[in-house]
């Protein structure tokens, strides 16, 4: 890891002609189960991973913010005044930085100076492992340290979500930012997104590992049908409120939903709502299974989750279906499903460590046959959430 900080320190020095003061890391995340339930007031079960966004930063004496990403060198150094809240041109990663600063300011925080920041992410871009939320929480911990802000972690998490919703324009729930803000090594977060009550659940996989399977198909959330799904499920709540006093689909159990489902105005709305309600129940059962070390049941629930995301929520597509459904047939795989928003991105598989090579070979071959190019595979290690790593002084 220190190699990355050494490189970033050198880039920082070449761009800004002095050394940075502090090092930071913010992870990506996978969601083990509970997909598209977060903005429906349901339960989710994410974990932060050891892939993520690295940063080195220092305060400035003036009010300029200067940021540089080794992932987007063609954008050069992006500069703006700390008080300027106008959007940067589309596709500029600087909008995430601006959005978080604006959200923090909305909570009453004040910034007297600008800062300089160099970042590098090793989350595959557009992979659905939440590179945007990783960046948002990195900015949050950078601001917290440089400005010595005495703020609760939940405010950093909420500022990331507000940046995404209000500034970037994607109606995400809070799961991604929460997982990255509160993540802990070898634990997943069982979160009720309606009440924000959560439990850290130890992950005991024994001889099994979680393998991330990347479609290598780029997707941009803001340009996808994500916001459409948010609107559709909001419409089902509006229609169901004539029969049950709910604010979110996550408040319904499956029996109550089944009783009133026929009152929804279209089959499409019924399918969208059915996924949200049944996926929420699956998540509750899956967490119990994991606590009981019943990996077989957990895997079966992963498979059922993928089927629902394919048939009822229609957010998978040929790439994710090929990965998950091929993986499900491999000996040693207990379950596989898409993770994240869908429309490309990644799937995950719960696989015996002795079967990882077989999984990669079988799934890789079938995917190339169907899709025409290769997927990528990573073993997902569950790591700590966004944090200050240390001072740069003394970096080898």
């Amino acid at each position: 890891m220190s190699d990355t900080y050494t490189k970033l320190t050198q880039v920082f020095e070449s761009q800004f002609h002095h050394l940075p003061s502090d090092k930071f890391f913010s992870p990506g995340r996978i969601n083990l189960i509970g997909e598209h339930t977060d903005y429906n007031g349901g339960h989710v079960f994410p974990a932060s991973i050891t892939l993520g966004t690295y940063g080195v930063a220092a305060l400035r004496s003036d009010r300029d913010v200067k940021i540089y990403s080794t992932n987007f060198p063609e954008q050069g150094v992006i500069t703006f005044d700390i008080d300027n809240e106008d959007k940067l041109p589309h596709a500029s990663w600087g909008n995430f930085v601006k959005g978080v600063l604006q959200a923090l300011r909305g909570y009453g925080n004040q910034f007297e100076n600008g800062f300089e920041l160099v970042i590098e992410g090793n989350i595959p871009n557009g992979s659905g492992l939440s590179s945007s939320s990783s960046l948002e929480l990195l900015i949050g911990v950078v601001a917290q340290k440089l400005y010595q802000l005495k703020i609760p972690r939940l405010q950093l998490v909420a500022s990331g979500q507000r940046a995404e919703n209000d500034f970037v324009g994607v109606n995400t729930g809070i799961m991604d930012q929460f997982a990255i803000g509160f993540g802990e090594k070898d634990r997943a977060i069982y979160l009720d997104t309606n009440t924000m009550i959560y439990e850290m659940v130890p992950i005991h996989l024994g001889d099994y590992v979680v393998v991330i399977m990347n479609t290598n198909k780029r997707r941009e959330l803001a340009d996808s049908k994500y916001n459409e799904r948010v609107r559709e499920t909001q419409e089902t709540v509006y229609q169901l409120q004539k029969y049950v006093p709910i604010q979110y689909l996550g408040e319904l159990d499956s029996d109550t939903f089944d009783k009133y489902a026929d009152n929804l105005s279209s089959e499409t709305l019924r399918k969208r709502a059915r996924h949200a309600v049944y996926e929420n129940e699956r998540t509750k059962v899956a967490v119990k299974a994991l606590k009981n070390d019943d990996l077989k049941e957990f895997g079966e629930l992963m498979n059922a989750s993928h089927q629902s995301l394919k048939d009822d929520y229609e957010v998978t597509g040929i790439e994710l279906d090929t990965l998950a459904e091929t993986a499900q047939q491999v000996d040693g795989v207990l379950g596989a499903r898409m993770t994240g928003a869908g429309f490309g991105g990644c799937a995950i598989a719960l696989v015996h460590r002795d079967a990882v090579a077989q999984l990669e070979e079988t799934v890789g071959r079938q995917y190339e046959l169907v899709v025409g190019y290769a997927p990528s595979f990573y073993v997902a290690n569950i790591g700590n959430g966004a944090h200050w790593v240390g001072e740069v002084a003394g970096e080898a």
Side-chain angles (χ1 to χ4, degrees), residues 190-300:
Y190 180 43
L191 171 66
D192 181 338
T193 62
N194 190 16
T195 64
M196 301 309 289
I197 293 169
Y198 69 99
E199 177 186 358
M200 303 304 298
V201 180
I203 301 297
H204 302 301
L205 298 182
D207 290 329
Y208 287 80
V209 293
V210 175
V211 173
I212 299 169
M213 306 180 287
N214 189 352
T215 62
N216 290 329
K217 176 190 180 184
R218 279 297 306 272
R219 60 156 188 76
E220 293 293 344
L221 263 188
D223 304 326
S224 73
K225 294 189 175 180
Y226 187 96
N227 287 349
E228 181 182 295
R229 293 294 178 275
V230 176
R231 287 193 300 273
E232 287 169 339
T233 48
Q234 285 172 342
E235 175 60 25
T236 66
V237 169
Y238 173 72
Q239 293 186 18
L240 288 168
Q241 281 172 335
K242 296 177 190 139
Y243 312 98
V244 279
I246 57 165
Q247 299 300 315
Y248 296 102
L249 289 171
E251 297 169 57
L252 288 177
D253 59 42
S254 54
D255 289 344
T256 307
F257 170 73
D258 290 344
K259 183 176 174 184
Y260 296 110
D262 287 345
N263 294 306
L264 290 170
S265 59
S266 71
E267 178 59 21
T268 296
L269 290 183
R270 271 191 292 278
K271 286 163 66 174
R272 303 294 186 259
R274 183 165 59 225
H275 167 75
V277 172
Y278 275 72
E279 180 77 350
N280 190 36
E281 290 202 346
R282 267 190 293 275
T283 305
K284 295 177 183 178
V285 176
V287 172
K288 282 183 188 155
L290 203 58
K291 287 179 176 177
N292 294 330
D293 294 329
D294 190 342
L295 296 182
K296 185 170 179 290
E297 184 180 13
F298 192 90
E300 288 166 356

Side-chain angles (χ1 to χ4, degrees), residues 35-103:
E35 216 67 73
H36 287 277
T37 52
D38 60 339
Y39 53 82
N40 286 306
H43 291 76
V44 292
F45 196 45
S48 50
I49 56 176
T50 51
L51 296 171
T53 312
Y54 301 80
V56 294
L59 270 178
R60 288 177 62 86
S61 56
D62 60 15
R63 301 186 70 77
D64 284 345
V65 174
K66 292 179 178 285
I67 54 177
Y68 181 86
S69 170
T70 61
N71 299 98
F72 302 105
E74 71 282 357
Q75 292 192 24
V77 173
I78 299 169
T79 303
F80 58 88
D81 186 284
I82 191 84
D83 300 314
N84 184 309
E85 297 188 346
D86 296 333
K87 271 196 180 181
L88 294 160
H90 183 65
S92 170
W93 67 275
N95 280 323
F96 291 98
V97 181
K98 281 194 142 192
V100 172
L101 293 172
Q102 192 167 312

Side-chain angles (χ1 to χ4, degrees), residues 8-20:
L8 289 182
T9 298
Q10 290 166 351
V11 173
F12 189 101
E13 194 170 12
S14 71
Q15 294 292 338
F16 304 125
H17 313 298
H18 63 96
L19 288 172

